[in-house]
Amino acid sequence: MARVRLIDVAELAGVSMKTVSNVVHNYPHVAPALREKVQAAIDQLGYRPNLTARRLATGKTGMIALAIPEIDHPYFSELSRHIAEEATRRGYRVIIEQTLSDPVVERAVLSDREAGLVDGVIFHPVRMESLDIAKLDPGTPLVLLGEAAMPVMTDHVMIDNVSAALDATRHLVARGCRRIAFLGVIAADITGSTNQRLLGYQQGLLEAGVPLDPELVFTASEFTAEAGLRSVAEAIERGVRFDGVVCRDDRFAIGALKALHDSGRSVPADVSVVGWDNTFLAAYTSPTLTSVAPQKTAIAAAAFDLLEERIAGYRGVGRHMIVGHSLEVRESAPLAP
Amino acid sequence: MARVRLIDVAELAGVSMKTVSNVVHNYPHVAPALREKVQAAIDQLGYRPNLTARRLATGKTGMIALAIPEIDHPYFSELSRHIAEEATRRGYRVIIEQTLSDPVVERAVLSDREAGLVDGVIFHPVRMESLDIAKLDPGTPLVLLGEAAMPVMTDHVMIDNVSAALDATRHLVARGCRRIAFLGVIAADITGSTNQRLLGYQQGLLEAGVPLDPELVFTASEFTAEAGLRSVAEAIERGVRFDGVVCRDDRFAIGALKALHDSGRSVPADVSVVGWDNTFLAAYTSPTLTSVAPQKTAIAAAAFDLLEERIAGYRGVGRHMIVGHSLEVRESAPLAP
DNA sequence: AAACATCTTTCCAGCGCTGTACATTGACGG
DNA sequence: CCGTCAATGTACAGCGCTGGAAAGATGTTT
């Protein structure tokens, strides 16, 4: 069980360590005969390079950290998958840090007491603000996701939330909806994302000549389907009339569907519903859910593009990449007839 | 931006590297005055220990790998969360490996060409069999999850699938169901888990004196809600009568709910449905889903218990831990009146 | 055949940190 | 006042690997 080292292989093959290293790395200028002999020694001993030592010597870890609020939130688990696959494609391993949206943990992600663990960090902040991030930025290559924070010097990937919310609203308007609600403002804590989506929603209404009605902005107590359900149920109870809902995310939309169903309203006949994130949930609700679909694959690819440039040494000002989105139309708000 | 090293701190503080190291590690026997001086130097320079170097020196990585089929499958994303939290609690970081149920990738997880990356591996195999695993076991501490494989020498954590399936079936029997179907056999590929669940289902029927009817074992083409939907829809079309379904997992159950809804059947009035895994989906279907609930927290804790013993040097025969489960009763199969 | 170019292989100094062995100091009992 | 012991601090040899310089081997050109 004693670990086999490079030098053991070298001795068995009767060559220098470096030659063995060259074989392991497929360095081109190794004579075929030698290469074979060395390979035989490697196989015979079952040699595996020690990654830690390699890292210390090269200064590269081949790992990146992905810091997200919750690994089991459908949007983030799907995003993680894309990031993981892109990482594999590019030869990185991923270590996952769950922040639980806790500002303390988020801060720890950046100001971590250790270094040399990863080559870079992809971070989807929720609570930290631009200033915080700018202050703590430890110099490790960093790419931010989402809309919560976008410090000037840091790279950043997001979709155009305003225009996506506008698309969603237009879609409902085109279906003939005139009393369109927005579900997802969290009392006393409007995040950047929500704000932008709300903006797009309002633009959509203006554009359609529909007056804004504050009563139609439904606030929820927290980011859960349950809270979305309660919010919509209460609105119904208050007697608020509406024929469409743009939801801040799919979870809220699921809550909304349930509340509407419970109150005997039919979706989409009485009320059309649009979700956000196009998580796989959307395909399995009844009715299935029309949802704003960020291009997750593109987000992953863009994040890595930026990150790898940083890793390669880019030190300039932050680049802000806008990734595409679409509206995935399903039963809860089908195309206008 | 040049990295600050231990020796830089040592020079500034006018002490040896080792003393600085002792301060960093809170080694007790350091005179308070010195400790303060060193700490000041650390703060002044913004020193962060280089983890890679530390690892090379100590031989411990403080990381474990979690190898699962799909990170965005609800069961696995929830499990990952528990593993991640348990890891944090115990001072480990987690690197996630997605096998995509690909036998080649699964094999790579074990026979990985590199070493020294992690202290241990928690692995939920799908395709690899016990023999495979036994052969490839590289000596890295390893704990297996699930029922697919359980080589004699390897530690293993699972729930009692037979008894859980029995519980689910009994629950349906108690509701008065007599034509109970089982959904989730994958054609030409009965996995260990499915097999055990099927067994428990059959035991439940026997116990209730209900004859087994092969027609009631619904096979699906793959592990997706869509496939579950098709399987149930076809059964309905064929004229198969049934008043209960035990599903191999929540995804199939979601498909089943949809198929039943589409065919105009009411759940649970006409057909009762039980899912498996108790993923958060179960709480948001309509009707909500009764589901077998493995104790995921306990699984994570048990896996780490075993793994840490292995890491600490245990070399004995494999321990096989059975973790508890329960039946989370919701609307799709409420308690018998 | 000398001079040079090109390909192979070896040598060895680190990468940054920790464990071990050893040196120093001061306190204290006899 | 010295020897002893415990508490502190230091020196330095690795951990296993890679990069770059330099040496050696082979082939080419004139």
Side-chain angles (χ1 to χ4, degrees), chain B residues 6 17-18 21 25 47 50 54:
Chain B
L6 205 50
M17 277 167 60
K18 191 58 209 287
S21 170
H25 287 282
Y47 169 71
N50 180 317
R54 176 130 94 208

Short mmCIF file of all heavy atoms in Angstrom, two decimals, chain B residues 6 17-18 21 25 47 50 54, chain C residues 14-21:
data_model
loop_
_atom_site.label_atom_id
_atom_site.label_comp_id
_atom_site.label_asym_id
_atom_site.label_seq_id
_atom_site.Cartn_x
_atom_site.Cartn_y
_atom_site.Cartn_z
N LEU B 6 5.11 32.00 4.62
CA LEU B 6 5.38 31.85 6.04
C LEU B 6 6.68 32.55 6.39
O LEU B 6 6.79 33.24 7.41
CB LEU B 6 5.50 30.34 6.33
CG LEU B 6 5.21 29.88 7.75
CD1 LEU B 6 3.89 30.45 8.21
CD2 LEU B 6 5.16 28.38 7.78
N MET B 17 10.19 30.23 11.10
CA MET B 17 8.99 29.83 10.39
C MET B 17 8.10 28.97 11.27
O MET B 17 6.88 29.12 11.28
CB MET B 17 9.35 29.02 9.15
CG MET B 17 9.72 29.85 7.95
SD MET B 17 10.49 28.81 6.70
CE MET B 17 9.20 27.62 6.36
N LYS B 18 8.71 28.08 11.96
CA LYS B 18 7.93 27.13 12.74
C LYS B 18 7.10 27.84 13.81
O LYS B 18 5.97 27.44 14.10
CB LYS B 18 8.85 26.11 13.39
CG LYS B 18 8.08 24.95 14.01
CD LYS B 18 7.23 24.25 12.94
CE LYS B 18 5.97 23.61 13.47
NZ LYS B 18 6.20 22.40 14.23
N SER B 21 4.17 29.15 12.19
CA SER B 21 3.28 28.03 11.95
C SER B 21 2.53 27.66 13.23
O SER B 21 1.32 27.41 13.21
CB SER B 21 4.10 26.83 11.44
OG SER B 21 3.32 25.68 11.41
N HIS B 25 -1.52 27.70 13.89
CA HIS B 25 -2.25 26.51 14.31
C HIS B 25 -2.69 26.55 15.76
O HIS B 25 -3.15 25.54 16.29
CB HIS B 25 -1.38 25.27 14.08
CG HIS B 25 -1.28 24.92 12.65
ND1 HIS B 25 -2.27 24.27 11.98
CD2 HIS B 25 -0.32 25.18 11.74
CE1 HIS B 25 -1.91 24.13 10.72
NE2 HIS B 25 -0.73 24.67 10.54
N TYR B 47 -1.17 37.55 5.50
CA TYR B 47 -0.72 36.19 5.19
C TYR B 47 -1.87 35.18 5.18
O TYR B 47 -2.71 35.18 6.06
CB TYR B 47 0.33 35.75 6.21
CG TYR B 47 0.65 34.28 6.13
CD1 TYR B 47 1.37 33.77 5.06
CD2 TYR B 47 0.21 33.38 7.11
CE1 TYR B 47 1.66 32.43 4.96
CE2 TYR B 47 0.49 32.03 7.03
CZ TYR B 47 1.21 31.55 5.95
OH TYR B 47 1.48 30.22 5.85
N ASN B 50 -0.75 28.53 2.55
CA ASN B 50 -0.95 27.86 1.27
C ASN B 50 -1.34 26.41 1.53
O ASN B 50 -0.56 25.60 1.99
CB ASN B 50 0.33 27.91 0.45
CG ASN B 50 0.16 27.22 -0.88
OD1 ASN B 50 -0.43 26.14 -0.95
ND2 ASN B 50 0.65 27.83 -1.93
N ARG B 54 0.66 22.85 2.58
CA ARG B 54 0.33 22.19 3.84
C ARG B 54 -0.01 20.73 3.61
O ARG B 54 0.41 19.85 4.34
CB ARG B 54 -0.88 22.91 4.46
CG ARG B 54 -1.38 22.28 5.72
CD ARG B 54 -1.53 23.33 6.81
NE ARG B 54 -2.86 23.87 6.87
CZ ARG B 54 -3.13 25.10 7.31
NH1 ARG B 54 -2.15 25.91 7.66
NH2 ARG B 54 -4.36 25.51 7.38
P DG C 14 17.11 27.50 -5.43
OP1 DG C 14 16.07 28.42 -6.03
OP2 DG C 14 18.31 28.03 -4.79
"O5'" DG C 14 16.41 26.48 -4.40
"C5'" DG C 14 15.14 26.79 -3.84
"C4'" DG C 14 14.08 26.88 -4.93
"O4'" DG C 14 14.12 25.65 -5.72
"C3'" DG C 14 12.69 26.98 -4.32
"O3'" DG C 14 11.95 27.96 -4.97
"C2'" DG C 14 12.08 25.60 -4.50
"C1'" DG C 14 12.88 24.98 -5.64
N9 DG C 14 13.12 23.58 -5.31
C8 DG C 14 14.13 23.05 -4.53
N7 DG C 14 14.07 21.75 -4.44
C5 DG C 14 12.95 21.39 -5.20
C6 DG C 14 12.39 20.12 -5.47
O6 DG C 14 12.77 19.03 -5.08
N1 DG C 14 11.26 20.22 -6.29
C2 DG C 14 10.75 21.40 -6.77
N2 DG C 14 9.66 21.30 -7.52
N3 DG C 14 11.27 22.59 -6.54
C4 DG C 14 12.36 22.51 -5.75
P DC C 15 10.98 28.88 -4.17
OP1 DC C 15 10.91 30.19 -4.84
OP2 DC C 15 11.35 28.79 -2.74
"O5'" DC C 15 9.61 28.12 -4.33
"C5'" DC C 15 8.86 28.15 -5.53
"C4'" DC C 15 7.63 27.31 -5.34
"O4'" DC C 15 7.99 25.92 -5.50
"C3'" DC C 15 7.04 27.44 -3.94
"O3'" DC C 15 5.96 28.35 -3.98
"C2'" DC C 15 6.56 26.02 -3.59
"C1'" DC C 15 7.22 25.11 -4.64
N1 DC C 15 8.14 24.08 -4.10
C2 DC C 15 8.00 22.75 -4.47
O2 DC C 15 7.09 22.44 -5.23
N3 DC C 15 8.87 21.83 -3.98
C4 DC C 15 9.85 22.21 -3.16
N4 DC C 15 10.68 21.27 -2.72
C5 DC C 15 10.01 23.56 -2.77
C6 DC C 15 9.14 24.46 -3.26
P DG C 16 6.06 29.68 -3.03
OP1 DG C 16 5.06 30.61 -3.58
OP2 DG C 16 7.46 30.11 -2.86
"O5'" DG C 16 5.53 29.15 -1.63
"C5'" DG C 16 4.22 28.65 -1.53
"C4'" DG C 16 4.09 27.85 -0.26
"O4'" DG C 16 4.99 26.72 -0.32
"C3'" DG C 16 4.44 28.61 1.02
"O3'" DG C 16 3.31 28.55 1.86
"C2'" DG C 16 5.66 27.87 1.58
"C1'" DG C 16 5.51 26.49 0.96
N9 DG C 16 6.75 25.77 0.76
C8 DG C 16 7.97 26.27 0.38
N7 DG C 16 8.90 25.34 0.26
C5 DG C 16 8.24 24.17 0.59
C6 DG C 16 8.73 22.84 0.63
O6 DG C 16 9.87 22.43 0.38
N1 DG C 16 7.75 21.94 1.01
C2 DG C 16 6.45 22.28 1.29
N2 DG C 16 5.63 21.30 1.63
N3 DG C 16 5.97 23.52 1.26
C4 DG C 16 6.93 24.41 0.90
P DC C 17 3.34 28.93 3.37
OP1 DC C 17 2.01 29.43 3.71
OP2 DC C 17 4.53 29.71 3.68
"O5'" DC C 17 3.47 27.49 4.04
"C5'" DC C 17 2.41 26.55 3.82
"C4'" DC C 17 2.76 25.22 4.41
"O4'" DC C 17 4.01 24.77 3.85
"C3'" DC C 17 2.95 25.24 5.92
"O3'" DC C 17 1.93 24.46 6.52
"C2'" DC C 17 4.31 24.65 6.16
"C1'" DC C 17 4.73 24.08 4.83
N1 DC C 17 6.17 24.27 4.54
C2 DC C 17 7.01 23.16 4.51
O2 DC C 17 6.53 22.04 4.72
N3 DC C 17 8.33 23.34 4.23
C4 DC C 17 8.79 24.57 4.00
N4 DC C 17 10.09 24.70 3.72
C5 DC C 17 7.95 25.71 4.04
C6 DC C 17 6.66 25.52 4.32
P DT C 18 1.84 24.44 8.11
OP1 DT C 18 0.42 24.24 8.45
OP2 DT C 18 2.61 25.55 8.70
"O5'" DT C 18 2.61 23.09 8.43
"C5'" DT C 18 2.11 21.87 7.89
"C4'" DT C 18 3.01 20.73 8.29
"O4'" DT C 18 4.34 20.95 7.79
"C3'" DT C 18 3.14 20.55 9.80
"O3'" DT C 18 3.10 19.15 10.05
"C2'" DT C 18 4.52 21.11 10.11
"C1'" DT C 18 5.28 20.80 8.83
N1 DT C 18 6.43 21.68 8.49
C2 DT C 18 7.63 21.10 8.17
O2 DT C 18 7.80 19.90 8.16
N3 DT C 18 8.62 21.98 7.83
C4 DT C 18 8.54 23.36 7.79
O4 DT C 18 9.50 24.04 7.47
C5 DT C 18 7.25 23.90 8.15
C7 DT C 18 7.06 25.38 8.14
C6 DT C 18 6.27 23.05 8.48
P DG C 19 2.74 18.61 11.49
OP1 DG C 19 1.48 17.87 11.35
OP2 DG C 19 2.85 19.70 12.50
"O5'" DG C 19 3.93 17.58 11.75
"C5'" DG C 19 4.34 16.72 10.71
"C4'" DG C 19 5.62 16.00 11.11
"O4'" DG C 19 6.75 16.85 10.81
"C3'" DG C 19 5.71 15.67 12.60
"O3'" DG C 19 6.27 14.37 12.73
"C2'" DG C 19 6.62 16.76 13.17
"C1'" DG C 19 7.48 17.17 11.98
N9 DG C 19 7.75 18.60 11.90
C8 DG C 19 6.90 19.62 12.21
N7 DG C 19 7.40 20.81 12.00
C5 DG C 19 8.68 20.56 11.51
C6 DG C 19 9.69 21.46 11.11
O6 DG C 19 9.66 22.69 11.08
N1 DG C 19 10.84 20.78 10.69
C2 DG C 19 10.98 19.43 10.68
N2 DG C 19 12.16 18.96 10.25
N3 DG C 19 10.04 18.57 11.05
C4 DG C 19 8.91 19.20 11.46
P DT C 20 6.57 13.81 14.15
OP1 DT C 20 6.26 12.37 14.05
OP2 DT C 20 5.93 14.65 15.19
"O5'" DT C 20 8.14 14.00 14.26
"C5'" DT C 20 8.95 13.78 13.12
"C4'" DT C 20 10.40 14.02 13.49
"O4'" DT C 20 10.72 15.43 13.30
"C3'" DT C 20 10.72 13.70 14.96
"O3'" DT C 20 11.91 12.95 14.99
"C2'" DT C 20 10.86 15.07 15.62
"C1'" DT C 20 11.32 15.96 14.46
N1 DT C 20 10.90 17.38 14.53
C2 DT C 20 11.78 18.34 14.08
O2 DT C 20 12.88 18.09 13.64
N3 DT C 20 11.32 19.62 14.18
C4 DT C 20 10.08 20.04 14.66
O4 DT C 20 9.79 21.23 14.69
C5 DT C 20 9.21 18.98 15.11
C7 DT C 20 7.86 19.32 15.66
C6 DT C 20 9.65 17.71 15.03
P DA C 21 12.57 12.55 16.39
OP1 DA C 21 13.07 11.17 16.23
OP2 DA C 21 11.66 12.90 17.51
"O5'" DA C 21 13.82 13.54 16.43
"C5'" DA C 21 14.59 13.75 15.25
"C4'" DA C 21 15.67 14.75 15.58
"O4'" DA C 21 15.09 16.09 15.61
"C3'" DA C 21 16.27 14.53 16.96
"O3'" DA C 21 17.67 14.81 16.89
"C2'" DA C 21 15.53 15.52 17.85
"C1'" DA C 21 15.29 16.67 16.89
N9 DA C 21 14.11 17.48 17.19
C8 DA C 21 12.90 17.09 17.73
N7 DA C 21 12.03 18.05 17.89
C5 DA C 21 12.71 19.18 17.42
C6 DA C 21 12.34 20.54 17.31
N6 DA C 21 11.15 21.00 17.69
N1 DA C 21 13.25 21.38 16.80
C2 DA C 21 14.44 20.91 16.43
N3 DA C 21 14.91 19.66 16.47
C4 DA C 21 13.98 18.84 16.98
#
